[in-house]
Amino acid sequence: MARRVPKNLELLRAAFDPKRIGDILPGDEFDIDGVEFVCAYDDASTAERFYIVKSPELVARYRVLCNEVRGGRIFELGIAEGGSTALMALDATPAKLVAIDLEEQPLPALDELIAARGLDESVRPHWGVDQSDHELLAKIVDDEFGGEALDVVIDDCSHQLLPTRRSFEALFPRLRPGGRYIIEDWNADHLMREAVVAALRQSIAEGDDELRESIRESIRNLHDQSAPRRSPLSQLAIEALLWRANGSDAIAAVTVDDLWVTITRGPGELDPIGFRLDEAYVDHFGLKGW
Ligand SMILES: C[S@@+](CC[C@H](N)C(=O)[O-])C[C@H]1O[C@@H](n2cnc3c(N)ncnc32)[C@H](O)[C@@H]1O
């Protein structure tokens, strides 16, 4: 039976026009160990050709990361069409790479690659896993890694604060000292607002009243006081900063650039079950905001 369009891709296609998606994912191609990769989002991956939902610049960062964690233990959140999972499987040759996705249907292309390369023990996709399911994530790590600490966690998943924070609470304690927790697309909410403002300015400059009114309507909806307020994912970086500022030795560093927020594990102990980020720091100066 043919695989139906994954939910995430269906939602993306409904929300954005293809040109905008193409601006971010230009379709560049590259090859790793005889497997082709395309920088685009399409439900057409095969074991010989994977779609990777990343810009070429981000792919370059992954290749540096693979070099740094070669042979290591990796936990990935967000498989989509298998591109990043296949890339890390081939380029980092990990001792173990465990990847999860909310999507229920397994990806035949990834299963075939794993079988063809004899990676059944080292590359382990788990489908139908919500990144906010703290208990399930902890169980998967414990079952798959048998108590060995992780070298890197990379989250390219929901890009929403609450689910991302829950995964962080489950997985950050399970990193080794010096291990890195990487969160991608941490500024998506900010870029979206910038794009709305730019479109509004353009509609005013061009005297396009209809477009201007529809953008204003969208902005009014964003500020609808009756709707629950959704904090941006960037708040997690601020919380990590506050935690570091309080002098905890469980967190060694927080670095932010245009692609990633990277939070480095320190040597201090953390309770792998009870750790909650918002209990780990005191916000003396009200920096966390809402
Ligand atoms: C941007 S795509 C991942 C792209 C992939 N890492 C790559 O580079 O090709 C995001 C994925 O996260 C999954 N996702 C979204 N929300 C999730 C959640 N709450 N828990 C687990 N997975 C989720 C979606 O199903 C989607 O496949």
Side-chain angles (χ1 to χ4, degrees):
M1 197 169 64
R3 187 170 171 260
R4 62 174 162 71
V5 179
K7 190 137 199 70
N8 192 62
L9 185 55
E10 201 174 70
L11 291 172
L12 189 84
R13 283 177 176 159
F16 295 101
D17 78 69
K19 174 160 175 342
R20 178 145 164 65
I21 300 174
D23 287 346
I24 303 166
L25 298 166
D28 294 41
E29 299 188 11
F30 60 97
D31 179 294
I32 301 177
D33 197 12
V35 174
E36 287 174 21
F37 290 84
V38 189
C39 296
Y41 199 178
D42 198 355
D43 54 332
S45 285
T46 67
E48 295 79 36
R49 184 177 167 84
F50 280 91
Y51 283 81
I52 181 163
V53 191
K54 309 219 173 296
S55 65
E57 186 194 5
L58 198 41
V59 167
R61 282 289 285 276
Y62 266 67
R63 303 218 53 187
V64 171
L65 179 70
C66 286
N67 198 26
E68 290 166 350
V69 297
R70 188 147 294 133
R73 287 178 286 275
I74 304 173
F75 196 102
E76 180 187 36
L77 300 110
I79 306 172
E81 297 311 303
S84 52
T85 316
L87 183 152
M88 289 191 284
L90 297 170
D91 207 18
T93 52
K96 192 165 256 194
L97 162 60
V98 175
I100 66 112
D101 200 289
L102 188 58
E103 175 62 41
E104 302 264 340
Q105 322 172 81
L107 183 68
L110 195 55
D111 292 344
E112 283 164 30
L113 179 78
I114 291 169
R117 304 272 174 147
L119 301 175
D120 309 67
E121 291 300 315
S122 61
V123 180
R124 311 269 301 159
H126 289 251
W127 299 95
V129 178
D130 190 326
Q131 80 164 144
S132 57
D133 191 338
H134 185 284
E135 270 180 33
L136 181 54
L137 290 184
K139 181 175 179 337
I140 291 172
V141 179
D142 293 343
D143 289 352
E144 292 282 10
F145 294 95
E148 300 250 46
L150 304 172
D151 294 295
V152 71
V153 177
I154 190 146
D155 180 347
D156 177 26
C157 214
S158 72
H159 309 302
Q160 291 175 15
L161 177 63
L162 298 182
T164 305
R165 196 199 272 140
R166 289 301 282 158
S167 311
F168 181 77
E169 290 168 345
L171 300 172
F172 189 75
R174 292 170 163 84
L175 279 169
R176 66 166 168 78
R180 282 172 287 173
Y181 199 103
I182 297 167
I183 301 172
E184 221 159 285
D185 269 346
W186 62 275
N187 55 349
D189 292 302
H190 297 255
L191 296 179
M192 182 68 87
R193 296 272 172 131
E194 288 296 319
V196 170
V197 170
L200 185 57
R201 287 211 177 104
Q202 193 182 345
S203 69
I204 292 168
E206 290 172 1
D208 186 338
D209 294 342
E210 204 178 314
L211 177 61
R212 192 186 59 212
E213 199 33 55
S214 90
I215 296 169
R216 286 215 163 119
E217 178 61 24
S218 310
I219 293 173
R220 275 194 287 277
N221 290 340
L222 280 174
H223 294 290
D224 177 359
Q225 295 303 316
S226 64
R229 211 162 177 190
R230 192 168 71 83
S231 301
L233 179 53
S234 49
Q235 185 167 314
L236 200 147
I238 294 170
E239 293 187 77
L241 182 80
L242 287 167
W243 187 21
R244 179 67 220 130
N246 285 189
S248 166
D249 62 354
I251 173 171
V254 184
T255 61
V256 179
D257 61 35
D258 55 336
L259 299 176
W260 289 344
V261 170
T262 305
I263 306 167
T264 307
R265 182 81 164 88
E269 293 214 352
L270 282 176
D271 172 2
I273 297 165
F275 168 62
R276 294 291 175 271
L277 181 57
D278 64 357
E279 294 168 6
Y281 60 86
V282 179
D283 184 8
H284 294 290
F285 301 98
L287 293 179
K288 193 171 109 177
W290 42 275

